[in-house]
Amino acid sequence: MRHNKKFNHLSRTADHRHAMLANMTISLIMHKRITTTLAKAKALKKYAEPLINRCKDDSTHSRRVVFSYLQNKEALKELYGPVAEKVGDREGGYTRIIKLGHRLGDAAPICFIELVDFDDNMAKTAKTGKKTRRSRRSSKPAAAEAAAEAPATEEKAEE
Protein backbone atom coordinates (compact mmCIF):
# COMPACT_ATOMS: atom_id res chain seq x y z
CA MET A 1 0.00 0.00 0.00
CA ARG A 2 1.13 3.58 -0.72
CA HIS A 3 0.31 5.06 2.68
CA ASN A 4 2.14 8.31 3.47
CA LYS A 5 4.01 8.39 0.14
CA LYS A 6 2.53 11.60 -1.17
CA PHE A 7 5.65 13.67 -1.94
CA ASN A 8 6.88 14.36 -5.47
CA HIS A 9 9.62 11.94 -6.56
CA LEU A 10 10.77 14.34 -9.34
CA SER A 11 11.62 11.39 -11.65
CA ARG A 12 14.76 10.62 -9.63
CA THR A 13 16.05 7.90 -7.37
CA ALA A 14 15.91 8.57 -3.64
CA ASP A 15 19.65 9.24 -3.32
CA HIS A 16 19.65 11.61 -6.29
CA ARG A 17 16.57 13.42 -4.98
CA HIS A 18 18.03 13.88 -1.47
CA ALA A 19 21.34 15.13 -2.87
CA MET A 20 19.58 17.54 -5.24
CA LEU A 21 17.33 18.96 -2.52
CA ALA A 22 20.29 19.35 -0.15
CA ASN A 23 22.28 21.21 -2.83
CA MET A 24 19.32 23.42 -3.67
CA THR A 25 18.79 24.20 0.02
CA ILE A 26 22.46 25.18 0.38
CA SER A 27 22.13 27.47 -2.65
CA LEU A 28 18.94 28.99 -1.25
CA ILE A 29 20.58 29.69 2.10
CA MET A 30 23.74 31.15 0.57
CA HIS A 31 22.13 33.23 -2.21
CA LYS A 32 18.70 33.92 -0.60
CA ARG A 33 16.97 33.41 -3.99
CA ILE A 34 17.26 30.77 -6.70
CA THR A 35 15.47 30.14 -9.99
CA THR A 36 14.16 26.65 -10.64
CA THR A 37 11.14 24.76 -11.92
CA LEU A 38 7.88 24.94 -10.02
CA ALA A 39 7.87 21.24 -9.07
CA LYS A 40 11.40 21.43 -7.66
CA ALA A 41 10.57 24.64 -5.79
CA LYS A 42 7.55 23.05 -4.13
CA ALA A 43 9.63 20.02 -3.12
CA LEU A 44 12.40 22.32 -1.88
CA LYS A 45 9.95 24.28 0.25
CA LYS A 46 8.94 21.11 2.11
CA TYR A 47 12.61 20.16 2.52
CA ALA A 48 14.06 23.53 3.56
CA GLU A 49 11.44 25.03 5.86
CA PRO A 50 11.82 22.43 8.65
CA LEU A 51 15.59 23.02 8.56
CA ILE A 52 15.11 26.79 8.78
CA ASN A 53 12.64 26.27 11.61
CA ARG A 54 15.20 24.17 13.48
CA CYS A 55 17.78 26.98 13.32
CA LYS A 56 15.75 29.05 15.81
CA ASP A 57 17.08 26.78 18.58
CA ASP A 58 20.85 27.19 18.47
CA SER A 59 21.92 24.04 20.27
CA THR A 60 24.55 21.45 19.46
CA HIS A 61 21.90 18.85 18.73
CA SER A 62 19.98 21.04 16.28
CA ARG A 63 23.22 22.02 14.50
CA ARG A 64 24.19 18.37 14.12
CA VAL A 65 20.76 17.42 12.80
CA VAL A 66 20.82 20.22 10.20
CA PHE A 67 24.41 19.38 9.26
CA SER A 68 23.37 15.76 8.64
CA TYR A 69 20.98 17.09 5.97
CA LEU A 70 23.16 19.79 4.39
CA GLN A 71 26.80 18.64 4.84
CA ASN A 72 28.09 22.20 4.31
CA LYS A 73 29.72 24.23 7.10
CA GLU A 74 29.41 27.60 5.34
CA ALA A 75 25.69 27.11 4.80
CA LEU A 76 25.32 26.09 8.44
CA LYS A 77 27.09 29.28 9.60
CA GLU A 78 24.86 31.37 7.35
CA LEU A 79 21.73 29.56 8.51
CA TYR A 80 22.48 29.92 12.22
CA GLY A 81 23.79 33.48 11.78
CA PRO A 82 21.88 36.06 9.69
CA VAL A 83 19.03 33.75 8.69
CA ALA A 84 18.25 32.75 12.28
CA GLU A 85 18.19 36.42 13.34
CA LYS A 86 15.69 37.37 10.66
CA VAL A 87 13.32 34.42 11.14
CA GLY A 88 13.50 34.35 14.95
CA ASP A 89 10.07 35.89 15.49
CA ARG A 90 8.35 34.37 12.44
CA GLU A 91 5.96 31.47 13.02
CA GLY A 92 6.49 29.82 9.65
CA GLY A 93 6.40 30.50 5.93
CA TYR A 94 10.07 31.24 5.54
CA THR A 95 10.11 30.89 1.73
CA ARG A 96 8.13 32.45 -1.09
CA ILE A 97 7.55 31.06 -4.59
CA ILE A 98 7.07 33.60 -7.40
CA LYS A 99 6.07 32.19 -10.79
CA LEU A 100 7.98 33.57 -13.78
CA GLY A 101 6.43 31.86 -16.78
CA HIS A 102 7.55 28.95 -18.93
CA ARG A 103 10.99 27.87 -20.08
CA LEU A 104 11.56 28.16 -23.84
CA GLY A 105 13.11 24.74 -24.39
CA ASP A 106 10.51 22.45 -22.83
CA ALA A 107 7.78 24.83 -21.58
CA ALA A 108 8.42 23.84 -17.96
CA PRO A 109 6.99 26.35 -15.46
CA ILE A 110 9.83 28.41 -13.97
CA CYS A 111 9.80 30.30 -10.67
CA PHE A 112 11.87 32.04 -8.04
CA ILE A 113 12.05 30.59 -4.58
CA GLU A 114 13.40 33.02 -2.01
CA LEU A 115 13.73 33.58 1.69
CA VAL A 116 10.94 35.96 2.67
CA ASP A 117 12.80 38.19 5.11
CA PHE A 118 15.72 38.88 2.78
CA ASP A 119 13.86 40.45 -0.16
CA ASP A 120 14.14 44.22 0.28
CA ASN A 121 12.15 45.11 -2.86
CA MET A 122 9.08 43.17 -1.75
CA ALA A 123 9.29 44.69 1.73
CA LYS A 124 9.31 48.23 0.29
CA THR A 125 6.24 47.58 -1.87
CA ALA A 126 4.43 45.92 1.02
CA LYS A 127 4.99 48.97 3.24
CA THR A 128 3.76 51.50 0.70
CA GLY A 129 0.58 49.56 0.01
CA LYS A 130 -1.40 49.23 -3.16
CA LYS A 131 -2.09 52.45 -5.02
CA THR A 132 -5.66 52.84 -6.20
CA ARG A 133 -7.44 55.43 -8.26
CA ARG A 134 -9.37 56.61 -5.23
CA SER A 135 -6.22 57.33 -3.24
CA ARG A 136 -4.82 59.43 -6.09
CA ARG A 137 -7.87 61.69 -6.06
CA SER A 138 -7.56 62.28 -2.36
CA SER A 139 -3.85 63.02 -2.68
CA LYS A 140 -4.30 65.72 -5.38
CA PRO A 141 -5.91 68.28 -3.03
CA ALA A 142 -3.24 67.51 -0.45
CA ALA A 143 -0.55 68.08 -3.09
CA ALA A 144 -2.22 71.36 -4.15
CA GLU A 145 -2.28 72.53 -0.52
CA ALA A 146 1.38 71.64 -0.12
CA ALA A 147 2.24 73.54 -3.31
CA ALA A 148 0.30 76.58 -2.06
CA GLU A 149 2.19 76.52 1.25
CA ALA A 150 5.59 76.11 -0.41
CA PRO A 151 5.77 79.67 -1.92
CA ALA A 152 4.71 81.13 1.42
CA THR A 153 7.60 79.40 3.18
CA GLU A 154 10.01 80.61 0.47
CA GLU A 155 8.90 84.22 0.97
CA LYS A 156 9.46 83.91 4.72
CA ALA A 157 12.96 82.51 4.09
CA GLU A 158 13.84 85.53 1.89
CA GLU A 159 12.81 88.07 4.57
Side-chain angles (χ1 to χ4, degrees):
M1 290 186 216
R2 287 192 78 243
H3 295 307
N4 204 16
K5 297 184 184 297
K6 194 174 175 181
F7 61 91
N8 192 346
H9 295 279
L10 300 173
S11 298
R12 286 164 171 79
T13 62
D15 290 337
H16 185 186
R17 187 172 54 252
H18 291 303
M20 182 189 68
L21 290 173
N23 287 333
M24 289 175 71
T25 304
I26 291 167
S27 296
L28 180 65
I29 291 167
M30 298 304 285
H31 301 291
K32 312 301 187 265
R33 172 190 274 186
I34 59 173
T35 305
T36 184
T37 62
L38 187 60
K40 286 181 187 175
K42 288 179 179 179
L44 178 62
K45 188 170 191 162
K46 289 184 180 181
Y47 188 87
E49 289 207 1
L51 299 178
I52 296 170
N53 194 28
R54 192 170 281 273
C55 79
K56 289 182 184 180
D57 174 34
D58 190 7
S59 65
T60 305
H61 175 67
S62 68
R63 281 182 178 263
R64 286 179 176 169
V65 169
V66 172
F67 185 75
S68 71
Y69 282 91
L70 297 183
Q71 299 289 320
N72 188 314
K73 289 183 183 179
E74 288 79 24
L76 202 68
K77 288 177 190 173
E78 185 77 16
L79 183 64
Y80 278 90
V83 176
E85 291 172 9
K86 292 253 186 164
V87 301
D89 57 343
R90 184 177 280 275
E91 291 289 322
Y94 309 113
T95 59
R96 174 188 300 131
I97 295 175
I98 301 170
K99 296 179 184 176
L100 296 177
H102 295 281
R103 191 162 51 196
L104 289 177
D106 59 353
I110 297 295
C111 64
F112 279 138
I113 182 167
E114 63 186 2
L115 296 176
V116 172
D117 295 320
F118 286 90
D119 189 13
D120 297 330
N121 296 333
M122 292 294 268
K124 288 177 186 173
T125 57
K127 288 179 185 175
T128 58
K130 185 179 179 183
K131 303 264 190 234
T132 61
R133 189 172 190 85
R134 185 170 293 153
S135 66
R136 277 190 237 143
R137 284 188 194 152
S138 63
S139 66
K140 284 183 182 178
E145 291 172 11
E149 293 174 6
T153 56
E154 290 174 4
E155 292 172 6
K156 290 178 184 175
E158 290 175 2
E159 293 175 5

